[in-house]
Amino acid sequence: MATAAEPQKVQLNGYVGFDTITTQIEKKLLKRGFQFNVIVVGQTGLGKSTLINTIFAAHLIDSKGRQSVEEPFRQTTEIQTVSHLIEENGIRLRLNIVDTPGYGDQVNNENCWEPIIKYIKDQHSAYLRKELTAMRERYIQDTRIHCCLFFIAPTGHALKPLDILVLKKLSEVVNVVPVIAKSDSLTIEERLAFKQRIKAELAHNNIKLYPYDSDELDQGELDLNQSMKELIPFAIVGSEKNVVIDGKAVRGRRNKWGVIVVENENHCEFVHLRNFLTRTHLQDLIETTAQIHYEAFRSKQLLALKESSARQEQPQPAQPSSQGGVI
Ligand SMILES: Nc1nc2c(ncn2[C@@H]2O[C@H](COP(=O)(O)OP(=O)(O)OP(=O)(O)O)[C@@H](O)[C@H]2O)c(=O)[nH]1
Ligand SMILES: [Mg+2]
């Protein structure tokens, strides 16, 4: 007989149905849709604006940048954000793409990365402020940058000191995925050697890039990340124009000596990059941003806030009061 202290065992007869929770979550998530924010960073003229238009096909920057494909290329002169709602098989993805002006062509390039870092931190700050308000929104609009595509010039030599500096700063605040821009200018051997060189330099300078190793990953995920780490930096080619091959229009670049087809895996690694961003790591990029980069920002800001309010509570000698507003 069960005593009063013992919890009574309830016999679960048959099917209760809590295994449908995944379907319930899925339904809710699908209704809400997903938000993904990408930023492109790199020295000037490396094809950042072009790649954005290549990855997400339709001419996404049309509204603020080029009006048509025929228009000459314009240098990006300010940080521009373009939002798009994409739908695939009933799944909605709200995409924010942040195009930045190329850096590195000034006489003095000191602190040229600051506006970009500030932009990324401002998004964290805006999110935190919304999170801390008493009547916070049910779903906070997320503008935090989930992925930074960093463009490396296809010099075939080494990373420039400025690139190393910028990569270091960026990797502290955002998931960074480096790419070798305009890789059609490198031969197969040069591309391979350049990749190895970049990897060695990144390791030497202790630059931690996405994807990160974690105890939470299972073997399959670890293997996938390992194969991605071998591919990164993706050697890419971008093009806004279609070329007709065998009667089919494809994204490509026509040269005197032939056509390079952007989506052909034998020509470049554009498809690998797109799969990485959309098919295999989209959710993880979003999660990692919240769990690692935003969390670090948040705890730093909240600690600073606590310290400043503790200081204000202490009896102060007659002094002008310090300004709050750490966030
Ligand atoms: N060969 C080659 N040229 C490219 C590639 N991608 C872009 N270009 C060309 O490079 C030039 C500059 O491209 P943009 O996309 O404007 O470069 P950007 O990095 O946005 O330049 P900024 O806005 O000045 O920083 C254009 O003439 C493009 O056609 C590529 O993969 N290979
Ligand atoms: Mg540009």
Side-chain angles (χ1 to χ4, degrees), residues 99-133:
D99 196 6
T100 66
Y103 61 81
D105 54 353
Q106 305 292 317
V107 178
N108 181 0
N109 291 309
E110 210 180 316
N111 299 344
C112 59
W113 59 84
E114 264 177 3
I116 299 168
I117 300 283
K118 180 174 180 306
Y119 180 89
I120 296 171
K121 284 190 175 171
D122 281 351
Q123 311 314 309
H124 284 169
S125 178
Y127 195 89
L128 181 55
R129 246 182 282 129
K130 282 185 203 154
E131 227 182 25
L132 292 179
T133 51

PDB file of all heavy atoms in Angstrom, residues 99-133:
ATOM      1  N   ASP A  99      25.313  45.828 -46.548  1.00  0.00           N
ATOM      2  CA  ASP A  99      26.450  46.034 -47.450  1.00  0.00           C
ATOM      3  C   ASP A  99      27.284  47.163 -46.852  1.00  0.00           C
ATOM      4  O   ASP A  99      26.738  48.176 -46.411  1.00  0.00           O
ATOM      5  CB  ASP A  99      25.921  46.438 -48.839  1.00  0.00           C
ATOM      6  CG  ASP A  99      26.989  46.294 -49.909  1.00  0.00           C
ATOM      7  OD1 ASP A  99      28.085  45.776 -49.598  1.00  0.00           O
ATOM      8  OD2 ASP A  99      26.730  46.704 -51.064  1.00  0.00           O
ATOM      9  N   THR A 100      28.598  46.979 -46.801  1.00  0.00           N
ATOM     10  CA  THR A 100      29.438  48.023 -46.198  1.00  0.00           C
ATOM     11  C   THR A 100      30.410  48.570 -47.237  1.00  0.00           C
ATOM     12  O   THR A 100      30.766  47.869 -48.190  1.00  0.00           O
ATOM     13  CB  THR A 100      30.249  47.465 -45.009  1.00  0.00           C
ATOM     14  OG1 THR A 100      31.184  46.494 -45.515  1.00  0.00           O
ATOM     15  CG2 THR A 100      29.362  46.824 -43.975  1.00  0.00           C
ATOM     16  N   PRO A 101      30.844  49.809 -47.067  1.00  0.00           N
ATOM     17  CA  PRO A 101      31.828  50.346 -48.007  1.00  0.00           C
ATOM     18  C   PRO A 101      33.159  49.630 -47.804  1.00  0.00           C
ATOM     19  O   PRO A 101      33.501  49.277 -46.679  1.00  0.00           O
ATOM     20  CB  PRO A 101      31.958  51.814 -47.589  1.00  0.00           C
ATOM     21  CG  PRO A 101      31.030  52.041 -46.475  1.00  0.00           C
ATOM     22  CD  PRO A 101      30.483  50.740 -46.003  1.00  0.00           C
ATOM     23  N   GLY A 102      33.872  49.401 -48.890  1.00  0.00           N
ATOM     24  CA  GLY A 102      35.174  48.752 -48.778  1.00  0.00           C
ATOM     25  C   GLY A 102      36.112  49.656 -48.002  1.00  0.00           C
ATOM     26  O   GLY A 102      36.039  50.873 -48.126  1.00  0.00           O
ATOM     27  N   TYR A 103      36.981  49.060 -47.209  1.00  0.00           N
ATOM     28  CA  TYR A 103      37.930  49.884 -46.459  1.00  0.00           C
ATOM     29  C   TYR A 103      39.317  49.709 -47.070  1.00  0.00           C
ATOM     30  O   TYR A 103      39.517  48.894 -47.958  1.00  0.00           O
ATOM     31  CB  TYR A 103      37.925  49.503 -44.977  1.00  0.00           C
ATOM     32  CG  TYR A 103      38.331  48.072 -44.742  1.00  0.00           C
ATOM     33  CD1 TYR A 103      39.666  47.705 -44.725  1.00  0.00           C
ATOM     34  CD2 TYR A 103      37.378  47.084 -44.572  1.00  0.00           C
ATOM     35  CE1 TYR A 103      40.046  46.395 -44.542  1.00  0.00           C
ATOM     36  CE2 TYR A 103      37.747  45.776 -44.386  1.00  0.00           C
ATOM     37  CZ  TYR A 103      39.082  45.432 -44.368  1.00  0.00           C
ATOM     38  OH  TYR A 103      39.455  44.138 -44.205  1.00  0.00           O
ATOM     39  N   GLY A 104      40.236  50.480 -46.579  1.00  0.00           N
ATOM     40  CA  GLY A 104      41.636  50.237 -46.948  1.00  0.00           C
ATOM     41  C   GLY A 104      42.166  51.093 -48.075  1.00  0.00           C
ATOM     42  O   GLY A 104      43.324  50.952 -48.454  1.00  0.00           O
ATOM     43  N   ASP A 105      41.349  51.983 -48.664  1.00  0.00           N
ATOM     44  CA  ASP A 105      41.901  52.779 -49.765  1.00  0.00           C
ATOM     45  C   ASP A 105      42.150  54.236 -49.365  1.00  0.00           C
ATOM     46  O   ASP A 105      42.301  55.096 -50.210  1.00  0.00           O
ATOM     47  CB  ASP A 105      41.011  52.686 -51.017  1.00  0.00           C
ATOM     48  CG  ASP A 105      39.569  53.060 -50.742  1.00  0.00           C
ATOM     49  OD1 ASP A 105      39.233  53.269 -49.554  1.00  0.00           O
ATOM     50  OD2 ASP A 105      38.784  53.132 -51.696  1.00  0.00           O
ATOM     51  N   GLN A 106      42.197  54.475 -48.064  1.00  0.00           N
ATOM     52  CA  GLN A 106      42.524  55.822 -47.610  1.00  0.00           C
ATOM     53  C   GLN A 106      44.037  55.904 -47.366  1.00  0.00           C
ATOM     54  O   GLN A 106      44.699  54.880 -47.265  1.00  0.00           O
ATOM     55  CB  GLN A 106      41.806  56.114 -46.279  1.00  0.00           C
ATOM     56  CG  GLN A 106      40.310  55.926 -46.314  1.00  0.00           C
ATOM     57  CD  GLN A 106      39.623  56.961 -47.183  1.00  0.00           C
ATOM     58  OE1 GLN A 106      39.959  58.140 -47.125  1.00  0.00           O
ATOM     59  NE2 GLN A 106      38.698  56.518 -48.000  1.00  0.00           N
ATOM     60  N   VAL A 107      44.529  57.137 -47.264  1.00  0.00           N
ATOM     61  CA  VAL A 107      45.956  57.284 -46.956  1.00  0.00           C
ATOM     62  C   VAL A 107      46.197  56.766 -45.547  1.00  0.00           C
ATOM     63  O   VAL A 107      47.145  56.025 -45.287  1.00  0.00           O
ATOM     64  CB  VAL A 107      46.376  58.767 -47.071  1.00  0.00           C
ATOM     65  CG1 VAL A 107      47.847  58.936 -46.715  1.00  0.00           C
ATOM     66  CG2 VAL A 107      46.089  59.291 -48.472  1.00  0.00           C
ATOM     67  N   ASN A 108      45.286  57.128 -44.662  1.00  0.00           N
ATOM     68  CA  ASN A 108      45.401  56.644 -43.296  1.00  0.00           C
ATOM     69  C   ASN A 108      44.242  55.694 -43.008  1.00  0.00           C
ATOM     70  O   ASN A 108      43.094  56.108 -42.965  1.00  0.00           O
ATOM     71  CB  ASN A 108      45.364  57.849 -42.342  1.00  0.00           C
ATOM     72  CG  ASN A 108      45.504  57.410 -40.896  1.00  0.00           C
ATOM     73  OD1 ASN A 108      45.632  56.219 -40.615  1.00  0.00           O
ATOM     74  ND2 ASN A 108      45.463  58.361 -39.987  1.00  0.00           N
ATOM     75  N   ASN A 109      44.564  54.406 -42.837  1.00  0.00           N
ATOM     76  CA  ASN A 109      43.499  53.423 -42.636  1.00  0.00           C
ATOM     77  C   ASN A 109      43.275  53.085 -41.164  1.00  0.00           C
ATOM     78  O   ASN A 109      42.615  52.098 -40.844  1.00  0.00           O
ATOM     79  CB  ASN A 109      43.814  52.159 -43.415  1.00  0.00           C
ATOM     80  CG  ASN A 109      43.713  52.401 -44.897  1.00  0.00           C
ATOM     81  OD1 ASN A 109      42.702  52.926 -45.359  1.00  0.00           O
ATOM     82  ND2 ASN A 109      44.743  52.067 -45.633  1.00  0.00           N
ATOM     83  N   GLU A 110      43.839  53.909 -40.312  1.00  0.00           N
ATOM     84  CA  GLU A 110      43.717  53.650 -38.886  1.00  0.00           C
ATOM     85  C   GLU A 110      42.237  53.673 -38.487  1.00  0.00           C
ATOM     86  O   GLU A 110      41.501  54.589 -38.883  1.00  0.00           O
ATOM     87  CB  GLU A 110      44.472  54.743 -38.130  1.00  0.00           C
ATOM     88  CG  GLU A 110      45.030  54.241 -36.805  1.00  0.00           C
ATOM     89  CD  GLU A 110      45.779  55.358 -36.102  1.00  0.00           C
ATOM     90  OE1 GLU A 110      46.539  56.069 -36.783  1.00  0.00           O
ATOM     91  OE2 GLU A 110      45.571  55.525 -34.919  1.00  0.00           O
ATOM     92  N   ASN A 111      41.835  52.682 -37.742  1.00  0.00           N
ATOM     93  CA  ASN A 111      40.458  52.600 -37.232  1.00  0.00           C
ATOM     94  C   ASN A 111      39.383  52.585 -38.319  1.00  0.00           C
ATOM     95  O   ASN A 111      38.233  52.936 -38.053  1.00  0.00           O
ATOM     96  CB  ASN A 111      40.169  53.744 -36.255  1.00  0.00           C
ATOM     97  CG  ASN A 111      41.081  53.682 -35.059  1.00  0.00           C
ATOM     98  OD1 ASN A 111      41.707  52.648 -34.824  1.00  0.00           O
ATOM     99  ND2 ASN A 111      41.195  54.769 -34.328  1.00  0.00           N
ATOM    100  N   CYS A 112      39.753  52.163 -39.538  1.00  0.00           N
ATOM    101  CA  CYS A 112      38.761  52.160 -40.618  1.00  0.00           C
ATOM    102  C   CYS A 112      37.648  51.144 -40.370  1.00  0.00           C
ATOM    103  O   CYS A 112      36.596  51.196 -40.971  1.00  0.00           O
ATOM    104  CB  CYS A 112      39.447  51.880 -41.948  1.00  0.00           C
ATOM    105  SG  CYS A 112      40.308  50.307 -41.957  1.00  0.00           S
ATOM    106  N   TRP A 113      37.903  50.190 -39.461  1.00  0.00           N
ATOM    107  CA  TRP A 113      36.915  49.150 -39.181  1.00  0.00           C
ATOM    108  C   TRP A 113      35.879  49.607 -38.159  1.00  0.00           C
ATOM    109  O   TRP A 113      34.860  48.972 -37.967  1.00  0.00           O
ATOM    110  CB  TRP A 113      37.624  47.899 -38.627  1.00  0.00           C
ATOM    111  CG  TRP A 113      38.380  48.209 -37.375  1.00  0.00           C
ATOM    112  CD1 TRP A 113      37.891  48.247 -36.102  1.00  0.00           C
ATOM    113  CD2 TRP A 113      39.738  48.585 -37.288  1.00  0.00           C
ATOM    114  NE1 TRP A 113      38.869  48.612 -35.226  1.00  0.00           N
ATOM    115  CE2 TRP A 113      40.024  48.822 -35.925  1.00  0.00           C
ATOM    116  CE3 TRP A 113      40.772  48.734 -38.222  1.00  0.00           C
ATOM    117  CZ2 TRP A 113      41.276  49.216 -35.475  1.00  0.00           C
ATOM    118  CZ3 TRP A 113      42.015  49.109 -37.771  1.00  0.00           C
ATOM    119  CH2 TRP A 113      42.266  49.351 -36.417  1.00  0.00           C
ATOM    120  N   GLU A 114      36.137  50.716 -37.522  1.00  0.00           N
ATOM    121  CA  GLU A 114      35.292  51.118 -36.396  1.00  0.00           C
ATOM    122  C   GLU A 114      33.804  51.271 -36.731  1.00  0.00           C
ATOM    123  O   GLU A 114      32.964  50.792 -35.976  1.00  0.00           O
ATOM    124  CB  GLU A 114      35.833  52.381 -35.732  1.00  0.00           C
ATOM    125  CG  GLU A 114      36.680  51.984 -34.550  1.00  0.00           C
ATOM    126  CD  GLU A 114      37.341  53.125 -33.829  1.00  0.00           C
ATOM    127  OE1 GLU A 114      37.104  54.288 -34.203  1.00  0.00           O
ATOM    128  OE2 GLU A 114      38.106  52.837 -32.914  1.00  0.00           O
ATOM    129  N   PRO A 115      33.467  51.913 -37.849  1.00  0.00           N
ATOM    130  CA  PRO A 115      32.031  52.041 -38.151  1.00  0.00           C
ATOM    131  C   PRO A 115      31.350  50.678 -38.274  1.00  0.00           C
ATOM    132  O   PRO A 115      30.178  50.525 -37.892  1.00  0.00           O
ATOM    133  CB  PRO A 115      31.995  52.770 -39.498  1.00  0.00           C
ATOM    134  CG  PRO A 115      33.332  53.405 -39.639  1.00  0.00           C
ATOM    135  CD  PRO A 115      34.299  52.599 -38.842  1.00  0.00           C
ATOM    136  N   ILE A 116      32.072  49.676 -38.776  1.00  0.00           N
ATOM    137  CA  ILE A 116      31.473  48.345 -38.959  1.00  0.00           C
ATOM    138  C   ILE A 116      31.262  47.672 -37.600  1.00  0.00           C
ATOM    139  O   ILE A 116      30.181  47.140 -37.317  1.00  0.00           O
ATOM    140  CB  ILE A 116      32.356  47.479 -39.883  1.00  0.00           C
ATOM    141  CG1 ILE A 116      32.459  48.161 -41.250  1.00  0.00           C
ATOM    142  CG2 ILE A 116      31.808  46.069 -40.005  1.00  0.00           C
ATOM    143  CD1 ILE A 116      33.499  47.581 -42.160  1.00  0.00           C
ATOM    144  N   ILE A 117      32.293  47.720 -36.754  1.00  0.00           N
ATOM    145  CA  ILE A 117      32.175  47.120 -35.418  1.00  0.00           C
ATOM    146  C   ILE A 117      31.061  47.838 -34.650  1.00  0.00           C
ATOM    147  O   ILE A 117      30.253  47.216 -33.955  1.00  0.00           O
ATOM    148  CB  ILE A 117      33.506  47.247 -34.640  1.00  0.00           C
ATOM    149  CG1 ILE A 117      34.624  46.523 -35.391  1.00  0.00           C
ATOM    150  CG2 ILE A 117      33.361  46.737 -33.200  1.00  0.00           C
ATOM    151  CD1 ILE A 117      34.620  45.029 -35.283  1.00  0.00           C
ATOM    152  N   LYS A 118      31.019  49.153 -34.796  1.00  0.00           N
ATOM    153  CA  LYS A 118      30.000  49.938 -34.083  1.00  0.00           C
ATOM    154  C   LYS A 118      28.610  49.506 -34.547  1.00  0.00           C
ATOM    155  O   LYS A 118      27.700  49.336 -33.740  1.00  0.00           O
ATOM    156  CB  LYS A 118      30.214  51.434 -34.338  1.00  0.00           C
ATOM    157  CG  LYS A 118      29.199  52.290 -33.625  1.00  0.00           C
ATOM    158  CD  LYS A 118      29.502  53.767 -33.759  1.00  0.00           C
ATOM    159  CE  LYS A 118      28.490  54.636 -33.038  1.00  0.00           C
ATOM    160  NZ  LYS A 118      27.106  54.426 -33.388  1.00  0.00           N
ATOM    161  N   TYR A 119      28.470  49.319 -35.848  1.00  0.00           N
ATOM    162  CA  TYR A 119      27.173  48.910 -36.382  1.00  0.00           C
ATOM    163  C   TYR A 119      26.730  47.588 -35.744  1.00  0.00           C
ATOM    164  O   TYR A 119      25.583  47.445 -35.308  1.00  0.00           O
ATOM    165  CB  TYR A 119      27.237  48.758 -37.909  1.00  0.00           C
ATOM    166  CG  TYR A 119      25.916  48.341 -38.495  1.00  0.00           C
ATOM    167  CD1 TYR A 119      24.982  49.292 -38.868  1.00  0.00           C
ATOM    168  CD2 TYR A 119      25.586  46.993 -38.634  1.00  0.00           C
ATOM    169  CE1 TYR A 119      23.742  48.913 -39.373  1.00  0.00           C
ATOM    170  CE2 TYR A 119      24.365  46.604 -39.123  1.00  0.00           C
ATOM    171  CZ  TYR A 119      23.442  47.564 -39.501  1.00  0.00           C
ATOM    172  OH  TYR A 119      22.212  47.181 -39.982  1.00  0.00           O
ATOM    173  N   ILE A 120      27.653  46.625 -35.670  1.00  0.00           N
ATOM    174  CA  ILE A 120      27.318  45.305 -35.118  1.00  0.00           C
ATOM    175  C   ILE A 120      26.939  45.428 -33.644  1.00  0.00           C
ATOM    176  O   ILE A 120      25.940  44.867 -33.182  1.00  0.00           O
ATOM    177  CB  ILE A 120      28.504  44.330 -35.312  1.00  0.00           C
ATOM    178  CG1 ILE A 120      28.746  44.114 -36.814  1.00  0.00           C
ATOM    179  CG2 ILE A 120      28.258  43.006 -34.600  1.00  0.00           C
ATOM    180  CD1 ILE A 120      29.998  43.362 -37.156  1.00  0.00           C
ATOM    181  N   LYS A 121      27.735  46.218 -32.892  1.00  0.00           N
ATOM    182  CA  LYS A 121      27.448  46.375 -31.463  1.00  0.00           C
ATOM    183  C   LYS A 121      26.143  47.142 -31.238  1.00  0.00           C
ATOM    184  O   LYS A 121      25.405  46.856 -30.295  1.00  0.00           O
ATOM    185  CB  LYS A 121      28.600  47.126 -30.789  1.00  0.00           C
ATOM    186  CG  LYS A 121      29.822  46.253 -30.579  1.00  0.00           C
ATOM    187  CD  LYS A 121      30.808  46.966 -29.697  1.00  0.00           C
ATOM    188  CE  LYS A 121      31.992  46.089 -29.371  1.00  0.00           C
ATOM    189  NZ  LYS A 121      33.043  46.843 -28.697  1.00  0.00           N
ATOM    190  N   ASP A 122      25.874  48.100 -32.112  1.00  0.00           N
ATOM    191  CA  ASP A 122      24.624  48.862 -31.982  1.00  0.00           C
ATOM    192  C   ASP A 122      23.406  47.955 -32.066  1.00  0.00           C
ATOM    193  O   ASP A 122      22.392  48.187 -31.415  1.00  0.00           O
ATOM    194  CB  ASP A 122      24.521  49.938 -33.090  1.00  0.00           C
ATOM    195  CG  ASP A 122      25.363  51.157 -32.760  1.00  0.00           C
ATOM    196  OD1 ASP A 122      25.879  51.234 -31.625  1.00  0.00           O
ATOM    197  OD2 ASP A 122      25.531  52.023 -33.642  1.00  0.00           O
ATOM    198  N   GLN A 123      23.503  46.917 -32.895  1.00  0.00           N
ATOM    199  CA  GLN A 123      22.370  45.992 -33.039  1.00  0.00           C
ATOM    200  C   GLN A 123      22.173  45.196 -31.747  1.00  0.00           C
ATOM    201  O   GLN A 123      21.050  44.951 -31.318  1.00  0.00           O
ATOM    202  CB  GLN A 123      22.561  45.026 -34.218  1.00  0.00           C
ATOM    203  CG  GLN A 123      22.959  45.668 -35.524  1.00  0.00           C
ATOM    204  CD  GLN A 123      22.137  46.902 -35.847  1.00  0.00           C
ATOM    205  OE1 GLN A 123      20.911  46.874 -35.806  1.00  0.00           O
ATOM    206  NE2 GLN A 123      22.805  48.011 -36.137  1.00  0.00           N
ATOM    207  N   HIS A 124      23.299  44.792 -31.117  1.00  0.00           N
ATOM    208  CA  HIS A 124      23.207  44.082 -29.831  1.00  0.00           C
ATOM    209  C   HIS A 124      22.580  44.997 -28.788  1.00  0.00           C
ATOM    210  O   HIS A 124      21.724  44.594 -28.007  1.00  0.00           O
ATOM    211  CB  HIS A 124      24.607  43.671 -29.358  1.00  0.00           C
ATOM    212  CG  HIS A 124      25.151  42.506 -30.105  1.00  0.00           C
ATOM    213  ND1 HIS A 124      26.455  42.105 -30.014  1.00  0.00           N
ATOM    214  CD2 HIS A 124      24.569  41.646 -30.948  1.00  0.00           C
ATOM    215  CE1 HIS A 124      26.640  41.045 -30.778  1.00  0.00           C
ATOM    216  NE2 HIS A 124      25.514  40.748 -31.358  1.00  0.00           N
ATOM    217  N   SER A 125      23.048  46.228 -28.818  1.00  0.00           N
ATOM    218  CA  SER A 125      22.581  47.211 -27.850  1.00  0.00           C
ATOM    219  C   SER A 125      21.074  47.464 -28.001  1.00  0.00           C
ATOM    220  O   SER A 125      20.336  47.523 -27.013  1.00  0.00           O
ATOM    221  CB  SER A 125      23.387  48.487 -28.078  1.00  0.00           C
ATOM    222  OG  SER A 125      22.971  49.473 -27.243  1.00  0.00           O
ATOM    223  N   ALA A 126      20.630  47.593 -29.247  1.00  0.00           N
ATOM    224  CA  ALA A 126      19.207  47.838 -29.502  1.00  0.00           C
ATOM    225  C   ALA A 126      18.379  46.659 -28.989  1.00  0.00           C
ATOM    226  O   ALA A 126      17.316  46.834 -28.386  1.00  0.00           O
ATOM    227  CB  ALA A 126      18.976  48.037 -30.991  1.00  0.00           C
ATOM    228  N   TYR A 127      18.872  45.446 -29.203  1.00  0.00           N
ATOM    229  CA  TYR A 127      18.153  44.247 -28.769  1.00  0.00           C
ATOM    230  C   TYR A 127      18.062  44.206 -27.248  1.00  0.00           C
ATOM    231  O   TYR A 127      17.012  43.932 -26.676  1.00  0.00           O
ATOM    232  CB  TYR A 127      18.871  42.999 -29.296  1.00  0.00           C
ATOM    233  CG  TYR A 127      18.040  41.752 -29.215  1.00  0.00           C
ATOM    234  CD1 TYR A 127      17.198  41.392 -30.256  1.00  0.00           C
ATOM    235  CD2 TYR A 127      18.086  40.931 -28.092  1.00  0.00           C
ATOM    236  CE1 TYR A 127      16.429  40.253 -30.197  1.00  0.00           C
ATOM    237  CE2 TYR A 127      17.317  39.790 -28.011  1.00  0.00           C
ATOM    238  CZ  TYR A 127      16.492  39.448 -29.074  1.00  0.00           C
ATOM    239  OH  TYR A 127      15.723  38.322 -28.995  1.00  0.00           O
ATOM    240  N   LEU A 128      19.185  44.522 -26.595  1.00  0.00           N
ATOM    241  CA  LEU A 128      19.229  44.495 -25.139  1.00  0.00           C
ATOM    242  C   LEU A 128      18.263  45.525 -24.549  1.00  0.00           C
ATOM    243  O   LEU A 128      17.552  45.264 -23.588  1.00  0.00           O
ATOM    244  CB  LEU A 128      20.661  44.773 -24.662  1.00  0.00           C
ATOM    245  CG  LEU A 128      20.907  44.772 -23.159  1.00  0.00           C
ATOM    246  CD1 LEU A 128      20.449  43.470 -22.534  1.00  0.00           C
ATOM    247  CD2 LEU A 128      22.384  44.986 -22.854  1.00  0.00           C
ATOM    248  N   ARG A 129      18.239  46.703 -25.160  1.00  0.00           N
ATOM    249  CA  ARG A 129      17.345  47.749 -24.659  1.00  0.00           C
ATOM    250  C   ARG A 129      15.890  47.295 -24.751  1.00  0.00           C
ATOM    251  O   ARG A 129      15.107  47.481 -23.842  1.00  0.00           O
ATOM    252  CB  ARG A 129      17.554  49.043 -25.452  1.00  0.00           C
ATOM    253  CG  ARG A 129      18.147  50.136 -24.554  1.00  0.00           C
ATOM    254  CD  ARG A 129      18.321  51.422 -25.289  1.00  0.00           C
ATOM    255  NE  ARG A 129      19.490  51.388 -26.144  1.00  0.00           N
ATOM    256  CZ  ARG A 129      19.487  51.708 -27.428  1.00  0.00           C
ATOM    257  NH1 ARG A 129      18.374  52.065 -28.032  1.00  0.00           N
ATOM    258  NH2 ARG A 129      20.602  51.682 -28.120  1.00  0.00           N
ATOM    259  N   LYS A 130      15.576  46.646 -25.878  1.00  0.00           N
ATOM    260  CA  LYS A 130      14.194  46.176 -26.054  1.00  0.00           C
ATOM    261  C   LYS A 130      13.873  45.076 -25.047  1.00  0.00           C
ATOM    262  O   LYS A 130      12.766  44.989 -24.529  1.00  0.00           O
ATOM    263  CB  LYS A 130      14.000  45.649 -27.468  1.00  0.00           C
ATOM    264  CG  LYS A 130      13.822  46.771 -28.474  1.00  0.00           C
ATOM    265  CD  LYS A 130      13.501  46.188 -29.828  1.00  0.00           C
ATOM    266  CE  LYS A 130      13.845  47.141 -30.930  1.00  0.00           C
ATOM    267  NZ  LYS A 130      14.127  46.464 -32.186  1.00  0.00           N
ATOM    268  N   GLU A 131      14.879  44.236 -24.782  1.00  0.00           N
ATOM    269  CA  GLU A 131      14.685  43.117 -23.856  1.00  0.00           C
ATOM    270  C   GLU A 131      14.438  43.620 -22.436  1.00  0.00           C
ATOM    271  O   GLU A 131      13.733  42.992 -21.657  1.00  0.00           O
ATOM    272  CB  GLU A 131      15.960  42.273 -23.865  1.00  0.00           C
ATOM    273  CG  GLU A 131      15.736  40.816 -23.991  1.00  0.00           C
ATOM    274  CD  GLU A 131      17.047  40.057 -23.943  1.00  0.00           C
ATOM    275  OE1 GLU A 131      18.043  40.548 -23.373  1.00  0.00           O
ATOM    276  OE2 GLU A 131      17.084  38.975 -24.490  1.00  0.00           O
ATOM    277  N   LEU A 132      15.056  44.752 -22.104  1.00  0.00           N
ATOM    278  CA  LEU A 132      14.995  45.244 -20.736  1.00  0.00           C
ATOM    279  C   LEU A 132      13.799  46.153 -20.445  1.00  0.00           C
ATOM    280  O   LEU A 132      13.596  46.521 -19.304  1.00  0.00           O
ATOM    281  CB  LEU A 132      16.287  46.003 -20.393  1.00  0.00           C
ATOM    282  CG  LEU A 132      17.560  45.156 -20.313  1.00  0.00           C
ATOM    283  CD1 LEU A 132      18.753  46.018 -19.993  1.00  0.00           C
ATOM    284  CD2 LEU A 132      17.418  44.053 -19.274  1.00  0.00           C
ATOM    285  N   THR A 133      13.053  46.524 -21.472  1.00  0.00           N
ATOM    286  CA  THR A 133      11.917  47.396 -21.190  1.00  0.00           C
ATOM    287  C   THR A 133      10.822  46.592 -20.476  1.00  0.00           C
ATOM    288  O   THR A 133      10.684  45.383 -20.696  1.00  0.00           O
ATOM    289  CB  THR A 133      11.304  47.994 -22.479  1.00  0.00           C
ATOM    290  OG1 THR A 133      11.063  46.919 -23.368  1.00  0.00           O
ATOM    291  CG2 THR A 133      12.199  49.026 -23.114  1.00  0.00           C
TER     292      THR A 133
END
